[in-house]
Amino acid sequence: MSEIASMLVTHRTASIDEIERAWHGDVETILKWVMSQDRVEECAVLKTCNRVEVYVVAPRGEKVLFDLAKKARVSSRIIDFHDHDESLLHLLRLASGLESMIIGEDQILGQMKELTQIAMKAGTTGWMLETAFKKAIQVGKRVRKETRINERSVSVGSAAVDLAEEILGDLKGKSQSPIGPLAQRSVWRRAWGERQFHLMICPAAFILQMW
């Protein structure tokens, strides 16, 4: 019987560097590679700055993913493997913002929608994964509406601004230089754009090259 299984490399188990090295290529490339494996009937990939998650529908899905991880030379030390029920529970927690670095952040919902659409366009999803992601996103929206979990800081960027203002006071007119993945640049700009100060984003790789 085919069921959903997943393997997760996230900020809970791995460093940013380990997450970036866990799976090479863009989402479409990973989808194509996973789908080419024996017994995989459906697959979807969530790839963000803080996580790479691979979902499959297959008989003995956890064994399929374990073999995939070995082929990709991703250490099992940084991977969480989930069976069907665990995968569904994780999707619900993820969409609700409970698995994010900033609890309740909204960005993950948009990322889940976008990456699900990429998988659907690539033809790698079917009824089971599409239903699971659709329901999870619906639950995520309801959680935010009923609990207001996202009332305060809703991203790492906005949390950083709140903390900086708490420590340094008014940031108006000051220059700020966050260091982190370039994929986060739009997040920083949205979160910090309302404050009137100069923003220069430095990728972590650039800083490492200076040492």
Side-chain angles (χ1 to χ4, degrees):
M1 179 180 177
S2 296
E3 292 186 321
I4 296 173
S6 60
M7 60 179 170
L8 324 172
V9 179
T10 74
H11 62 91
R12 295 182 183 275
T13 59
S15 66
I16 294 297
D17 184 54
E18 287 174 324
I19 293 172
E20 290 178 347
R21 288 189 284 110
W23 298 96
H24 302 292
D26 56 20
V27 172
E28 289 88 347
T29 300
I30 300 172
L31 286 170
K32 184 177 180 181
W33 181 67
V34 174
M35 201 64 188
S36 69
Q37 307 301 309
D38 291 339
R39 295 176 293 177
V40 174
E41 299 168 11
E42 301 179 33
C43 71
V45 174
L46 289 175
K47 189 175 183 182
T48 73
C49 295
N50 297 319
R51 66 185 65 252
V52 180
E53 303 185 356
V54 179
Y55 295 82
V56 299
V57 173
R60 299 185 64 197
E62 284 185 276
K63 176 64 166 58
V64 170
L65 291 175
F66 184 78
D67 291 342
L68 276 177
K70 288 180 65 177
K71 289 180 181 179
R73 296 183 179 179
V74 182
S75 171
S76 59
R77 175 184 61 83
I78 63 172
I79 302 177
D80 286 327
F81 292 95
H82 287 346
D83 62 18
H84 183 83
D85 290 344
E86 292 168 337
S87 296
L88 294 178
L89 178 59
H90 175 76
L91 273 177
L92 294 175
R93 289 180 55 84
L94 184 65
S96 300
L98 297 177
E99 294 292 333
S100 300
M101 292 183 71
I102 304 298
I103 299 299
E105 58 98 358
D106 292 326
Q107 189 183 14
I108 189 62
L109 276 179
Q111 292 168 334
M112 290 178 71
K113 288 179 185 177
E114 179 183 356
L115 294 168
T116 303
Q117 289 170 356
I118 290 174
M120 291 172 65
K121 186 176 180 180
T124 63
T125 57
W127 176 85
M128 194 172 293
L129 281 181
E130 288 173 16
T131 300
F133 275 85
K134 180 180 178 181
K135 293 296 184 182
I137 291 169
Q138 290 174 348
V139 168
K141 291 178 179 179
R142 181 175 176 181
V143 165
R144 285 165 175 78
K145 181 179 179 180
E146 295 185 6
T147 68
R148 300 182 180 178
I149 194 174
N150 58 339
E151 266 193 344
R152 293 185 60 79
S153 299
V154 292
S155 71
V156 173
S158 59
V161 174
D162 292 342
L163 180 60
E165 288 184 327
E166 182 179 328
I167 296 172
L168 303 173
D170 188 7
L171 299 178
K172 185 176 180 180
K174 294 182 173 64
S175 296
Q176 312 298 323
S177 181
I179 299 171
L182 283 177
Q184 289 274 20
R185 71 172 68 190
S186 61
V187 177
W188 290 109
R189 285 178 177 148
R190 282 196 302 271
W192 295 26
E194 295 179 358
R195 277 79 164 185
Q196 297 179 20
F197 54 71
H198 306 292
L199 178 63
M200 180 179 71
I201 298 178
C202 296
F206 174 76
I207 298 300
L208 290 174
Q209 288 171 7
M210 295 176 64
W211 284 86

